Amino acid sequence: MRGLTDAGPGPARSTLRAVSAAAAALTAFALLVSACGSDGTGARDEGPAGSDSVAGAASPSMVVPSTTTQRVDAVRLVRTDPLVSAAVKRELKPCAADDYPVDVSYGELTGGAPSEVVVNVLTCGDAVGVGSYVYRESDGRYRNVFRAEEPPVYAEIDRGDLVVTKQVYGRGDPVSNPSGENVITYHWSGGRFTERYRTHNEYGTVAGEPTPVPGDT
């Protein structure tokens, strides 16, 4: 008569396997609960497994610069600027209530820490640009470093450069339908904006390639 231990794979061994599996599952669950309770970061407390897990994270010793831009009173800035013509200042009046015809942009143009301010003054009726200006902050004061007052004109910031668009009218063209435009790109160099490229586009035709300014490197 064989003993119980010689009986082969019967109910006893099946029960033993079930108990062992349950114990293993219980142990794994306890380890998971313990890991989740350690400062809320789990297994990652031991360090990143690879570079992808820290993409976009700042080092503890890194100071992240603030992206907050100090907004300015563009209307007052233009009105008090002695370099702005009297004709443009006359156009700078509310179109409705306190709605002034100005477009304001902020961005880096001169390589300094504070953002430069680009102000476009428009007409109320047809939104024609009559003046474009760039102001640079220094010691808490804004200084005019660029102006264009030959309407229609509009200035924008494009990847660190100043792009000025001047619409061109042919004989008999109405204000609402110019014949084309000149797009001029300026780059800050040597303490001033210098022209880098100039493109002329005829409306209704394919635009040409930018033409470098002679002598520009």
Side-chain angles (χ1 to χ4, degrees), residues 193-206:
F193 284 104
T194 57
E195 184 176 331
R196 295 289 302 276
Y197 301 101
R198 179 184 289 258
T199 302
H200 176 73
N201 300 322
E202 290 288 345
Y203 294 153
T205 62
V206 178

Side-chain angles (χ1 to χ4, degrees), residues 88 101 120-123 126-132 148-155 165 167:
V88 172
N120 288 286
V121 180
L122 315 172
T123 60
D126 43 23
V128 172
V130 296
S132 299
E149 296 181 327
E150 296 178 5
V153 61
Y154 197 88
T165 301
Q167 292 179 322

Side-chain angles (χ1 to χ4, degrees), residues 100-207:
Y100 284 86
V102 294
D103 285 349
V104 185
S105 301
Y106 300 86
E108 293 186 6
L109 284 170
T110 67
S115 296
E116 277 67 52
V117 184
V118 177
V119 182
N120 288 286
V121 180
L122 315 172
T123 60
C124 286
D126 43 23
V128 172
V130 296
S132 299
Y133 311 92
V134 177
Y135 292 93
R136 188 176 191 233
E137 192 271 338
S138 179
D139 298 327
R141 300 175 62 88
Y142 286 91
R143 182 169 62 93
N144 188 326
V145 292
F146 179 88
R147 61 173 177 161
E149 296 181 327
E150 296 178 5
V153 61
Y154 197 88
E156 300 173 280
I157 300 172
D158 183 10
R159 291 169 292 183
D161 284 335
L162 178 67
V163 178
V164 178
T165 301
K166 297 181 178 181
Q167 292 179 322
V168 179
Y169 290 86
R171 186 184 300 274
D173 285 346
V175 174
S176 60
N177 190 25
S179 299
E181 64 182 11
N182 291 325
V183 182
I184 310 168
T185 301
Y186 295 90
H187 184 76
W188 182 263
S189 178
R192 64 189 182 92
F193 284 104
T194 57
E195 184 176 331
R196 295 289 302 276
Y197 301 101
R198 179 184 289 258
T199 302
H200 176 73
N201 300 322
E202 290 288 345
Y203 294 153
T205 62
V206 178

